[in-house]
Amino acid sequence: MALNNTYDARLVQQETALGAGVQVLLLALIGTAIGMGPAGWLSGLAFAIATWAVLSRALHRSRLRSFGAANRVTLGRATLVGGVTALVADSFQSSPPVSLFVGLTAVALILDGVDGKVARRTGTATPLGARFDMEVDAFLILVLSVYVSMQLGPWVLLIGGMRYVFVAAAKVWPWLTAALPASTARKTVAALQGVLLLLAGADLLPNAANFGVAALALGLLVWSFGRDVLWLYRTSRVAEQAAPRPVRELVAS
């Protein structure tokens, strides 16, 4: 039985390695097509290596016997995000085709709605898969905000950085790590971030309109995060008040 577990673990790790290989292949295709510079190559390769390393470690800890169809879709989406990352990094030195940037981003955003459905239909939803999906989403939004910020200003970085600020704040205030109730509004706002940032970065609208689109994305995100933080704070206060007081405090009173 132990031998079977080892074999399955190796198969799962092989899939993550294959994903890294596909990522390098995509970078090679992009590099050949547009003559990508060192910044794009280094960023794309760094993303591929980091994704492979973090995912491999997470899989080892979770001891999944099968990678699963849904995770394969997410890994494919991560590959596209790696390509977008390379294009955005390259845009600091040159001007990659907007059509390629829009195409890769659009497919990555469309696939965002696929992996969850596959997981539910196949009964393979796991905490690791949900976290993997969330991290890929968050990094894509961060990369898109960097790209749009070059046109509209550094304030757009607030959109991509807000989730990471929330995670950092949770290290200081543990009550932020409590589970949130399911919310259609939260999911809708999260899905709109990528769409709105892509629209602002596609250079299809006048600059003023792009500014308004990005501002709308930021406003929706501030509202969503603010609502969740307020709910978490109130819930933590109620839990504190409902908790029994220590014996010493009872005696003193």
Side-chain angles (χ1 to χ4, degrees), residues 115-241:
D115 45 13
K117 291 181 180 179
V118 171
R120 289 187 292 271
R121 289 183 179 180
T122 58
T124 56
T126 63
L128 172 62
R131 180 66 182 273
F132 184 25
D133 178 57
M134 183 190 305
E135 294 301 337
V136 172
D137 289 344
F139 193 80
L140 176 58
I141 298 304
L142 175 62
V143 171
L144 291 178
S145 68
V146 170
Y147 184 77
V148 176
S149 72
M150 290 188 285
Q151 307 170 33
L152 301 180
W155 64 270
V156 183
L157 295 174
L158 293 171
I159 299 174
M162 197 169 302
R163 191 257 173 180
Y164 296 99
V165 171
F166 181 85
V167 172
K171 303 292 184 181
V172 180
W173 298 294
W175 51 268
L176 288 172
T177 61
L180 286 163
S183 170
T184 302
R186 185 190 309 117
K187 293 179 180 179
T188 302
V189 169
L192 283 175
Q193 296 305 303
V195 175
L196 292 174
L197 284 174
L198 178 59
L199 179 59
D203 202 21
L204 298 174
L205 303 174
N207 191 67
N210 289 332
F211 187 95
V213 169
L216 174 62
L218 179 58
L220 289 172
L221 197 61
V222 169
W223 171 80
S224 181
F225 268 99
R227 189 184 67 154
D228 285 345
V229 169
L230 182 60
W231 186 90
L232 290 169
Y233 177 74
R234 287 176 175 174
T235 302
S236 69
R237 296 293 295 176
V238 170
E240 285 180 8
Q241 293 173 4

Side-chain angles (χ1 to χ4, degrees), residues 99-122:
S99 58
L100 181 58
F101 165 78
V102 171
L104 290 178
T105 305
V107 175
L109 291 174
I110 291 171
L111 289 178
D112 185 27
V114 175
D115 45 13
K117 291 181 180 179
V118 171
R120 289 187 292 271
R121 289 183 179 180
T122 58

